[in-house]
Amino acid sequence: MEKRVGVSFIALGLLLTIVPIAVAVRGGFSSGRKEFDETRRNLLANDLGITPPMGWNSWNHFNCKIDEKTIKETADALVATGLVKLGYEYVNIDDCWAEINRDEKGTLVAKKSTFPSGIKALADYVHSKGLKLGIYSDAGYFTCSKTMPGSLGHEEKDAKTFASWGIDYLKYDNCNNDGSRPTDRYPVMTRALMKAGRPIFFSLCEWGDMHPALWGSKVGNSWRTTNDIADTWDSMMSRADMNDVYAQYARPGGWNDPDMLEVGNGGMTNDEYIVHFSIWAISKAPLLIGCDVRNTTKETLDIIGNKEVIAVNQDPLGVQAKKVRSEGDQEIWAGPLSDYRVALLLVNRGPWRYSVTANWDDIGLPTGTVVEARDLWEHKTLEKRFVGSLTATMDSHACKMYILKPIS
């Protein structure tokens, strides 16, 4: 197998040695906290996104066909299915929620035909369920749908409005702007949010055009590294590939975003959705459900509700895994976790059943290390102990995901 050009994974072994520091940071120990605070001075200082955000977004399934009834029922469904207990806390309204015109004071107005009670009342309802409400705007004159105003030139007004409504998350798009650079327009909203008096997770939806991973950590809590995803295998895997390039820039408080989950929308097979969820989890991507959780299947719930895979995404070390080797259609993804463990994902992108071998020197483990392997989709610890490598055979468009725990 040939190593991919440009993969910077040689630091993985070093990262494994700093796990205690990272855990101390997460636990609030004084020495780790001091280092963490110094780092945060260079980030968006809202103390949000210490782990990747989890929740739901309306766009992938509903597009513009949203209303307050759907949002309320989705909040109810997140509670009823138990997804909220797994960490899915954000209920995010995407485009098309507002009237095309602002009111006489220049304030955004919820669309009367679909959100007659207003956004504040909706936020109150969502909060009453133990959830958080997200909303959408745009760093342009109009949003991408052109059915409502953007926030360009109204950043402070809109940030204060969102805060007064009780908004917890802002997805900020990049359509219909004045042609200026996103690096000029997005920080204006950053400053407005920080002055608004309420912590609001700031999600930059700049589509990766100007490589926001390189500058996003000082502006927002997550940044899109790709254009919009579609509910197809090729679209999903291409987003995974594009997102992988920027792995080194992800960190607690700021995450690479390859777009929202398509799991459950029907365009892929169950195995393909498992690959989708596994890559997003190991890549520390935001886990934002994009299907109709009010009418989802057991198979979909089993995927998005896999506690062990979610735990990889939410691991306090906060290091995004990388694609460390690939040969044709066979890939190995790996990354360090807390407590000296390693997350390992083997993917078969090809049309035939195939075996893939992960060697320790590719995934940051000393060659002679003996590990215990936990299969995260079978929910079992393998009886065999592994030294030097691990091999698994997978069907077409399928994967195997493990946590490797050194035992000697």
Side-chain angles (χ1 to χ4, degrees), residues 3-316:
K3 289 189 178 180
R4 294 176 69 242
V5 176
V7 170
S8 61
F9 205 68
I10 57 175
L12 190 149
L14 293 174
L15 284 167
L16 287 170
T17 68
I18 65 167
V19 169
I21 295 175
V23 173
V25 169
R26 181 63 171 172
F29 301 154
S30 58
S31 60
R33 184 70 200 182
K34 182 179 179 182
E35 293 182 20
F36 183 66
D37 287 342
E38 289 174 353
T39 301
R40 290 295 293 173
R41 289 180 191 137
N42 295 319
L43 305 178
L44 184 70
N46 59 12
D47 287 325
L48 298 175
I50 304 305
T51 58
M54 296 175 61
W56 173 89
N57 179 284
S58 62
W59 185 257
N60 283 359
H61 187 84
F62 294 98
N63 297 119
C64 274
K65 297 177 181 178
I66 54 169
D67 54 39
E68 65 182 47
K69 180 175 181 288
T70 300
I71 303 302
K72 287 182 177 180
E73 289 177 351
T74 296
D76 294 341
L78 289 171
V79 174
T81 57
L83 290 170
V84 64
K85 293 181 179 179
L86 300 180
Y88 293 98
E89 61 178 348
Y90 289 104
V91 180
N92 293 346
I93 309 168
D94 211 282
D95 202 351
C96 312
W97 61 268
E99 296 284 2
I100 188 65
N101 295 313
R102 295 170 179 267
D103 69 12
E104 65 279 1
K105 296 181 180 178
T107 305
L108 289 166
V109 178
K111 198 171 182 179
K112 292 179 174 59
S113 61
T114 50
F115 293 89
S117 302
I119 302 300
K120 186 181 188 308
L122 186 55
D124 291 343
Y125 183 87
V126 169
H127 293 158
S128 75
K129 300 292 180 177
L131 295 158
K132 298 178 179 179
L133 187 68
I135 210 160
Y136 168 97
S137 190
D138 189 291
Y141 298 117
F142 295 95
T143 62
C144 294
S145 69
K146 297 184 180 179
T147 65
M148 56 173 278
S151 292
L152 185 61
H154 299 267
E155 290 87 354
E156 286 204 18
K157 180 74 171 179
D158 291 353
K160 289 177 181 178
T161 299
F162 297 150
S164 71
W165 287 346
I167 294 299
D168 303 292
Y169 184 114
L170 173 62
K171 176 182 174 182
Y172 204 48
D173 225 330
N174 196 32
C175 290
N176 304 306
N177 58 70
D178 60 0
S180 62
R181 294 174 180 269
T183 48
D184 294 328
R185 284 178 286 111
Y186 276 82
V188 179
M189 181 56 85
T190 302
R191 292 188 289 271
L193 290 172
M194 295 179 74
K195 290 168 59 179
R198 180 180 179 83
I200 296 176
F201 186 102
F202 192 24
S203 170
L204 315 181
C205 187
E206 185 263 9
W207 321 313
D209 286 356
M210 288 192 66
H211 309 290
L214 306 183
W215 49 269
S217 64
K218 295 181 179 180
V219 181
N221 300 111
S222 68
W223 42 85
R224 278 278 292 279
T225 53
T226 71
N227 211 318
D228 288 2
I229 194 172
D231 188 17
T232 68
W233 170 259
D234 288 343
S235 174
M236 182 271 292
M237 291 304 297
S238 69
R239 272 61 183 169
D241 293 340
M242 287 185 276
N243 191 64
D244 177 56
V245 173
Y246 301 105
Q248 64 183 306
Y249 299 103
R251 66 196 74 175
W255 307 102
N256 292 315
D257 177 9
D259 206 5
M260 299 161 294
L261 294 167
E262 291 282 8
V263 181
N265 279 329
M268 290 184 255
T269 67
N270 207 53
D271 281 347
E272 289 171 341
Y273 281 139
I274 287 173
V275 174
H276 180 12
F277 194 73
S278 298
I279 293 178
W280 263 237
I282 202 170
S283 299
K284 300 298 187 291
L287 297 182
L288 297 175
I289 301 166
C291 67
D292 184 355
V293 294
R294 304 170 304 169
N295 299 292
T296 193
T297 64
K298 180 182 183 301
E299 288 77 14
T300 295
L301 288 174
D302 286 344
I303 296 172
I304 62 178
N306 187 322
K307 295 179 182 180
E308 296 189 75
V309 176
I310 290 170
V312 171
N313 180 261
Q314 297 290 298
D315 185 78

Side-chain angles (χ1 to χ4, degrees), residues 318-338:
V319 176
Q320 179 175 328
K322 286 190 64 65
K323 191 189 306 183
V324 297
R325 267 191 184 256
S326 63
E327 180 181 337
D329 293 320
Q330 281 63 55
E331 297 179 348
I332 300 168
W333 300 65
L337 300 174
S338 56

